[in-house]
Every structure is written in C-alpha cells, then in structure tokens.
Amino acid sequence: MLMRRWMAVAAAPLLVTGCSYFGSQHADDWRGRTDVDSAELAINTVLRDIDPCGFVDAESIKAKIPRAISYGYAEGFDRCTLRLGAYDGDFTSDVSATIGFDFTPDPGEMVEQPTDAVQVGGITIIHMLGPTSNRGWCRYVFNLGVGDVPDPSSRGGVADLMKRVRVEVRASLSNDPGPGRPIYPCKEAIAIASGAAQIRSRQLPGRSDSVPFPAGQDPCALFPDLRDFSNYSPGGTGMGRGLYGCLFSSGPPGDPKTHRVRMTLRPVDPHEPDTSSYGDERHSVVEQRDGVELHVSTVTRRYDKPFCEVYVFLGSEYRPTYFTPERARPEDVRVPGAVLRGTSSCDDIKDVAAAAGKRFRP
C-alpha cells in the first residue's frame, strides 16, 4: 500500500509538468510535444512544399552570368545553391549564391539597412545590408506573398507570420577581399533575384517529383518512432529557420541530465563521412543496425571530449542542373542523407539514425 501511494505521489508532478511544459491537452498527439508555436510549425510545413530551385530563371542567368555553372540542392533542401564561376572583376575568387527563405526581423532584433529597391513583375526587390560587415557578399529580398500560398490559415497567427516570409538571394565570394576593399557580387545577386521575382509574379513553384527525397518531409515526424525522448524542437543551422533540422530531447530544456540528439536532413557528399573537416580527428566505421547502414564517426575536438556523429544515406546519388552540360564536375555529386549528433550515448544516436533510415528512405 505504501509503495502504491508513493508511486501515485511521484507520478502527479510529472503529469503536471508535462502539461505545462508541452502546452498541449492531447498527450497522445506527438505534434504537441514541443514548445514551438503552432503558427511557426504551420509555416514550416508551407515552406517545405515550395521548391527554392523553382525560382531559378535559367535562361536569364545564362544571359546575364555566362560563366555560371550549375544550380541545385548542394548544401540544404531549404535552399537552392548556384555555382556561378569566377568573379567578374579585378579580384580573384569564385562566386556562389543561394535562394532560400527568411523572415523580416522581430521588433528589437538587429536592424537591417535597405539601400535601394527595384520593381520586377510588380514585386519590390530590396537590396539589404546586414548589421555588420558586408564585404564579399550581397543580399536581395522580396516578400513571398500570401495570395496563392496553400492554406495560410488565420488561426494561431499563421497568416500574420506568413506575411513576414521573404525570398532571399545571397551571393558571396569564396575569397575574402579583406577590410577596405569594396568588392561585392551584387551584379550576380540582382540578376538571380530579378529572375526569381519574375517567376514569383507568375506562380508559386511547388515541389516536383524531380526534387530529391526527403525534400518536403518534416524531420520531426520521426519523433513517434523514437523511444526515451519526451519532446522535440524543430530548427537547425543555416538560412531561414532550419526547415530540415530537429532536436530530440529526453527532458526539459535547461536540465543538465537531459540527453539530446540533433538530426538534419540534407544533401551529403558521398565521401563526407570519411573526409569531413568537422573536429580535429575522426575515426569512421560502417555498421548495420536494424537493416540500416550507418556511417559512424568518433570525432575529437580540442578541449572537448570525443563525441559520436552518424550519417545515413537515404537515396541515390544525384547531380545539380548544369547551365551547360560540359561544365559537369565529379565533386558535384550528392546523396540525400541524415546527419546526427548529440549529447546522448553513441548507441542512442545510432538508434535514432536507424529509425531515420527506415522512415525517410523513398
């Protein structure tokens, strides 16, 4: 009797804590196991259904940037990467660019500096300076617009948040020109942004079957397949809000005993598990777990204890689209993948990786 009473008393605060932390009245609904606002979750779903590479006006770019090489999903599924060849100026450097999404800053955030604007197809494209040094890169933005966006529901502030979504074009040099040298790849950036705005004025480019899987998938949808994790948080590093990253946690934020695994769905160089420069030393092996092939690396960084990093290949190799076929390069090959790191044990990270391999393979 005493044991039963102790268990009931111990369980009560856990239930209360769970309700207050997750803010959900439906404990069996995994989507409520996060403290991220429901409006932001809805926006993430909308943006994953849009194809960033669908904003590439290939013919216009070939005419304005004749040295351009390719475009496609080379760095992330939330952005389209364009390789533009050598910089057209008296500075030796390659130029690349990305098309992705961002949000107008929240009140109180570091202020952007709009410098000039142009109209293309009825859309205003703004040249935006960042709050710190802008050398070596150039950025243009325009509002995505909500008129034909699928289901911009007004519930939970979704429509208001959707109005803040922008298409962002950022061009950058591979070499830093150094302080005092006003070198910016703005010619390339405005050429890409103008073509993107022209396309947006006609249509909203949705995901097509040609986009590598798992582009368009919610990485946090893995949560119901996992054991020993009590909550999740969407997001990650990179442009926009990290549409393809998810952090799985065993307890509340701030608790030092909480174990966490971060998973990112992204394009992977087939040789990356063995050659990644992340960390100071790396030892990699290939393992099988639950029928899924895992590329497991023990990574050592100076001043930190070794940690585990796991790669899972989720599909077939693919290449970007080339503006001219003769510019194809072997190093452009990518594989859809999941990359996992965390503070959990390596066995826990492998378990999550195996679950990802099962869920996100086409």
Side-chain angles (χ1 to χ4, degrees):
M1 178 69 71
L2 183 61
M3 177 62 72
R4 289 178 183 173
R5 183 176 179 182
W6 180 87
M7 291 175 66
V9 171
L14 291 177
L15 292 173
V16 172
T17 301
C19 289
S20 62
Y21 175 69
F22 296 123
S24 172
Q25 297 178 350
H26 306 286
D28 58 341
D29 180 5
W30 70 268
R31 295 188 184 278
R33 298 297 187 95
T34 181
D35 59 352
V36 174
D37 185 77
S38 60
E40 185 169 334
L41 296 178
I43 294 298
N44 287 348
T45 299
V46 170
L47 295 182
R48 278 191 293 265
D49 286 336
I50 301 172
D51 180 8
C53 286
F55 288 105
V56 174
D57 186 340
E59 293 304 316
S60 172
I61 291 174
K62 283 197 294 185
K64 296 178 180 179
I65 314 174
R67 62 197 179 281
I69 298 170
S70 66
Y71 65 94
Y73 294 97
E75 300 170 342
F77 295 125
D78 58 346
R79 56 197 181 274
C80 187
T81 299
L82 298 92
R83 307 295 185 192
L84 303 175
Y87 175 64
D88 185 16
D90 59 356
F91 179 69
T92 302
S93 177
D94 286 338
V95 185
S96 63
T98 53
I99 303 174
F101 307 106
D102 78 347
F103 289 75
T104 55
D106 286 319
E109 289 186 351
M110 299 183 77
V111 178
E112 299 175 316
Q113 303 174 49
T115 60
D116 56 79
V118 296
Q119 289 275 336
V120 175
I123 293 176
T124 302
I125 307 172
I126 303 173
H127 180 196
M128 199 73 72
L129 296 180
T132 57
S133 172
N134 295 273
R135 72 180 188 236
W137 60 274
C138 192
R139 175 171 171 251
Y140 284 85
V141 300
F142 61 84
N143 289 338
L144 178 66
V146 298
D148 54 353
V149 172
D151 191 29
S153 170
S154 60
R155 292 182 301 168
V158 177
D160 290 339
L161 187 57
M162 196 71 218
K163 293 175 183 177
R164 294 177 49 206
V165 179
R166 304 182 295 193
V167 176
E168 179 190 62
V169 174
R170 184 189 298 252
S172 58
L173 302 175
S174 59
N175 296 327
D176 186 348
R181 299 193 68 182
I183 299 175
Y184 314 101
C186 290
K187 175 183 174 182
E188 292 83 354
I190 190 57
I192 296 167
S194 297
Q198 195 67 254
I199 290 173
R200 180 64 189 103
S201 70
R202 299 191 300 264
Q203 64 182 7
L204 181 69
R207 295 277 180 187
S208 67
D209 293 338
S210 62
V211 177
F213 194 88
Q217 302 299 302
D218 180 357
C220 296
L222 183 64
F223 181 76
D225 301 343
L226 305 180
R227 296 176 298 173
D228 303 324
F229 290 94
S230 61
N231 62 87
Y232 70 93
S233 179
T237 58
M239 182 182 292
R241 296 294 179 98
L243 300 176
Y244 290 95
C246 197
L247 180 68
F248 305 105
S249 302
S250 65
D255 186 339
K257 296 181 181 179
T258 294
H259 297 293
R260 300 176 178 87
V261 175
R262 180 178 297 281
M263 180 187 72
T264 304
L265 301 177
R266 65 171 175 84
V268 174
D269 184 315
H271 305 292
E272 184 176 338
D274 301 315
T275 61
S276 173
S277 59
Y278 188 78
D280 298 313
E281 295 183 8
R282 171 180 296 266
H283 174 68
S284 301
V285 296
V286 178
E287 300 181 11
Q288 293 284 334
R289 179 162 295 210
D290 296 336
V292 178
E293 183 177 276
L294 308 179
H295 297 257
V296 183
S297 297
T298 302
V299 181
T300 303
R301 291 194 299 178
R302 188 175 299 174
Y303 309 122
D304 284 332
K305 63 182 180 180
F307 69 95
C308 187
E309 181 179 60
V310 182
Y311 289 78
V312 186
F313 293 157
L314 300 174
S316 302
E317 294 183 352
Y318 67 92
R319 293 176 180 269
T321 300
Y322 294 97
F323 291 104
T324 54
E326 62 270 16
R327 294 180 179 173
R329 306 178 301 181
E331 62 266 29
D332 292 336
V333 172
R334 293 292 184 271
V335 179
V339 183
L340 301 97
R341 301 170 183 150
T343 60
S344 293
S345 69
C346 200
D347 272 343
D348 287 346
I349 297 173
K350 292 176 191 177
D351 285 341
V352 177
K358 292 179 179 180
R359 172 167 282 271
F360 294 115
R361 279 178 175 167

